Amino acid sequence: MPTPERLNEIFADKLPGCLGIVVTSISKAEVRAEMEINQANIAPNGFLFAGSVVTLADTSCGNGCLANLPEGASGFTTIELKSNHLGTAREGTIACVTHPVHMGRTTQVWDAVVSHRQSGKTIALFRCTQMILYPQADLNQTVLL
């Protein structure tokens, strides 16, 4: 299972790292991550950019999927996501807690709650479906019936 330190290292020069997303804990049952609010994740109206919140939640759910890949899987990709934005913030830290809802062989469904750490206010509810990827079979050696 990947460690928070390893994931943060991998994401350092990717979108999560550019937005300041930090994975704080990961297990098969829960992922926690956070993001300091700064100018990189603020919209022109002065509030959190919705895409920043979605990126925090999607990153957390993806890390949960990564920690729970079935045997033989080579990876995953997000095939559906939905977010309900219930509030916003201008400063402080937003935190995300992610849990699995469905852990199938071909798909996983993850839920996340994003909240403002200082006030405890819920910022967004998020759900995504991950498609599990497997290496392609060698068709030259596969007998088709």
Side-chain angles (χ1 to χ4, degrees), residues 35 48-58 61 81-89 94-98 110-117 119-127:
M35 180 176 67
L48 268 171
F49 211 111
S52 297
V53 177
V54 169
T55 302
L56 172 62
D58 190 45
C61 291
L81 59 82
K82 178 185 182 354
S83 60
N84 292 95
H85 296 261
L86 309 174
T88 191
I94 57 173
C96 183
V97 180
T98 304
W110 288 79
D111 279 351
V113 176
V114 178
S115 59
H116 186 248
R117 182 188 297 155
S119 68
K121 180 180 178 181
T122 299
I123 301 293
L125 303 174
F126 180 89
R127 174 170 276 189

Side-chain angles (χ1 to χ4, degrees), residues 3-111:
T3 65
E5 295 79 17
R6 179 65 180 133
L7 291 169
N8 293 328
E9 180 183 311
I10 291 167
F11 292 139
D13 64 346
K14 309 290 187 281
L15 181 60
C18 293
L19 290 175
I21 294 172
V22 176
V23 179
T24 58
S25 70
I26 186 167
S27 72
K28 290 190 173 290
E30 180 181 271
V31 177
R32 292 180 176 263
E34 62 187 29
M35 180 176 67
E36 292 288 328
I37 299 171
N38 59 46
Q39 288 305 303
N41 48 42
I42 292 288
N45 65 2
F47 292 99
L48 268 171
F49 211 111
S52 297
V53 177
V54 169
T55 302
L56 172 62
D58 190 45
T59 299
S60 297
C61 291
N63 286 330
C65 186
L66 183 63
N68 286 280
L69 286 175
E71 186 174 334
S74 60
F76 69 94
T77 190
T78 303
I79 58 173
E80 184 272 338
L81 59 82
K82 178 185 182 354
S83 60
N84 292 95
H85 296 261
L86 309 174
T88 191
R90 292 177 185 239
E91 60 186 19
T93 302
I94 57 173
C96 183
V97 180
T98 304
H99 295 100
V101 176
H102 166 73
M103 302 294 286
R105 179 162 164 69
T106 58
T107 60
Q108 293 184 11
V109 177
W110 288 79
D111 279 351

Side-chain angles (χ1 to χ4, degrees), residues 121-143:
K121 180 180 178 181
T122 299
I123 301 293
L125 303 174
F126 180 89
R127 174 170 276 189
C128 70
T129 303
Q130 308 287 11
M131 179 174 64
I132 308 302
L133 304 174
Y134 292 89
Q136 296 235 337
D138 183 352
L139 295 179
N140 293 325
Q141 296 181 18
T142 302
V143 178

